[in-house]
Amino acid sequence: MEQSLSIDTLKIAKEELREDKATRNNALSQMRLWLKQNKKIIHSRSDDSFLLRFLRAKKFSLTLAQETLERYLLMRQTFGHRLFKVLDITCPRLEKLLELGYIFVVPKRDKNGRRIIITRPGVFNPSLWTNAEMCRMHGVTYETLMEDQENQIRGFVHYVDAAGMCLQQLTLFTPREAIRIVKNGERTIPMRHKEIYGVNIPSSLKFALDFGITLLSEKIRSRVKIFSSIEDSHTYVDKSLLPKEYGGEMEMSKMIGLWKQELLEKREQILKNEKMSVREDMFSESARQGRVSALTNHSHQHMVGSFRQLTVD
């Protein structure tokens, strides 16, 4: 079903993404023709909403949108066992992570019409949960959000509460995996990350945070703000939108319940996405392995050294 967008949203699309009706229709036609002719792709969605998420993320540059779509489909397939397979919120373990409030989305939009994604890594116990389950929780969250064209245009606000994080959580991924997740996530997932806030960062994890920020593009890096307390973040984030536990008006448990309803509404489509596939042998080895050319030996060795110094109780 085609989604009706407000005049204000269409204005933002025009000003920020160079999108209007003529540009949109022409780009969609070109994308569908390209999909039919692309021998690398066995099956892909070709509906407006799906294709537009890539066009909007790349400001209607056809070449960049096509490259991103290829990388996205390849990533879904090559890393599917950990990132994109069985993105079903009714799975008992994912449902439990949702109830814990590991990652959920605030029901109301902010003053710029953006959804606020709250992540609480401190509630993720590495002794009970796997890195695959962590990835799947992010996958089902982002995939659900990207189905909404309003979100595609207006973008997202990330609010990360690191209270309770421990050194053991850093060992869920190898240094190389962590680097690939950050770099490929920014390049391949068609989301507009507008603002990123971090609160309650433990001093023992500051080195990991500092390194992670260096992996981001300069554009995204400039949008990151770190606060020593939740109260300090209220200058940038309307506290009335946040959970009551963070100074807002609605209990976190109720927000999580409302977000679960949204996940269930999109569940059928998210599961259908697993039918998309590509011919892996037609991609380069580096593409199949998700290598990041921007990764330097110095950066990798620095991170490996830091991880080796960890003492986990």
Side-chain angles (χ1 to χ4, degrees):
M1 182 182 295
E2 186 175 347
Q3 183 176 342
S4 177
L5 298 171
S6 69
I7 294 177
D8 287 343
T9 301
L10 293 173
K11 183 179 179 181
I12 293 172
K14 176 65 174 178
E15 293 176 349
E16 297 185 11
L17 309 177
R18 303 191 291 267
E19 175 182 351
D20 56 28
K21 185 175 181 180
T23 300
R24 183 168 56 250
N25 290 341
N26 178 64
L28 286 170
S29 296
Q30 292 295 322
M31 288 289 282
R32 291 192 178 99
L33 178 61
W34 170 78
L35 278 174
K36 288 181 180 179
Q37 298 174 341
N38 193 327
K39 296 180 180 179
K40 295 181 182 179
I41 299 174
I42 298 173
H43 174 66
S44 170
R45 284 175 58 182
S46 59
D47 56 281
D48 287 3
S49 181
F50 180 75
L51 297 180
L52 283 169
R53 70 177 66 170
F54 297 94
L55 289 164
R56 286 164 172 157
K58 297 304 174 183
K59 298 186 177 181
F60 281 80
S61 166
L62 274 171
T63 301
L64 292 179
Q66 290 164 357
E67 290 176 354
T68 304
L69 176 50
E70 275 191 349
R71 287 199 306 264
Y72 168 83
L73 293 175
L74 179 63
M75 182 177 69
R76 285 189 63 96
Q77 189 160 309
T78 55
F79 296 102
H81 63 293
R82 292 173 66 180
L83 291 170
F84 295 103
K85 290 298 182 184
V86 197
L87 295 186
D88 188 350
I89 199 56
T90 64
C91 290
R93 288 182 65 81
L94 294 190
E95 195 170 23
K96 180 61 177 177
L97 272 174
L98 175 63
E99 292 171 357
L100 287 173
Y102 168 64
I103 182 170
F104 61 97
V105 182
V106 171
K108 294 183 180 179
R109 296 179 182 273
D110 70 5
K111 63 181 181 181
N112 295 308
R114 301 163 183 166
R115 298 299 299 270
I116 301 174
I117 305 168
I118 295 182
T119 309
R120 302 166 66 232
V123 305
F124 192 97
N125 187 335
S127 300
L128 300 177
W129 310 97
T130 67
N131 56 9
E133 288 165 331
M134 176 183 282
C135 290
R136 286 167 64 200
M137 277 302 298
H138 284 271
V140 72
T141 301
Y142 301 152
E143 289 287 311
T144 298
L145 287 169
M146 287 188 291
E147 289 295 329
D148 189 318
Q149 293 194 45
E150 189 93 3
N151 296 336
Q152 294 174 11
I153 293 171
R154 292 182 179 269
F156 303 95
V157 174
H158 298 270
Y159 192 94
V160 182
D161 175 11
M165 276 195 71
C166 60
L167 294 174
Q168 187 182 3
Q169 289 168 322
L170 298 184
T171 63
L172 282 167
F173 301 93
T174 67
R176 187 170 292 278
E177 286 176 328
I179 290 166
R180 287 178 180 174
I181 287 171
V182 173
K183 299 293 287 187
N184 284 309
E186 182 181 339
R187 293 192 317 149
T188 306
I189 304 297
M191 297 174 67
R192 304 190 71 208
H193 309 291
K194 305 298 289 185
E195 299 170 14
I196 303 171
Y197 302 111
V199 299
N200 296 324
I201 310 296
S203 58
S204 60
L205 302 183
K206 189 176 184 302
F207 80 92
L209 172 66
D210 291 343
F211 183 80
I213 290 176
T214 67
L215 299 177
L216 301 172
S217 67
E218 184 176 350
K219 180 182 71 174
I220 298 298
R221 200 157 55 235
S222 68
R223 298 174 182 178
V224 176
K225 290 182 174 61
I226 306 299
F227 303 98
S228 57
S229 70
I230 290 174
E231 289 73 23
D232 290 342
S233 72
H234 293 165
T235 304
Y236 291 86
V237 183
D238 183 353
K239 71 176 184 179
S240 69
L241 300 176
L242 296 173
K244 191 172 184 178
E245 294 83 346
Y246 292 173
E249 300 170 354
M250 183 184 293
E251 290 84 0
M252 186 182 298
S253 60
K254 186 172 182 180
M255 286 189 175
I256 292 170
L258 291 172
W259 173 237
K260 184 178 182 179
Q261 291 178 23
E262 290 190 53
L263 291 171
L264 291 173
E265 288 171 4
K266 297 290 194 301
R267 175 177 175 269
E268 185 177 345
Q269 178 58 67
I270 301 305
L271 292 175
K272 284 181 180 178
N273 288 347
E274 293 184 14
K275 296 179 181 179
M276 296 189 289
S277 61
V278 297
R279 294 182 173 87
E280 290 184 40
D281 61 338
M282 296 187 71
F283 290 85
S284 67
E285 182 182 356
S286 61
R288 293 197 302 272
Q289 294 183 1
R291 292 177 185 164
V292 181
S293 59
L295 173 61
T296 65
N297 289 331
H298 172 75
S299 297
H300 181 246
Q301 293 303 322
H302 172 78
M303 194 60 166
V304 170
S306 298
F307 270 60
R308 283 175 178 164
Q309 294 172 26
L310 295 183
T311 300
V312 180
D313 295 328

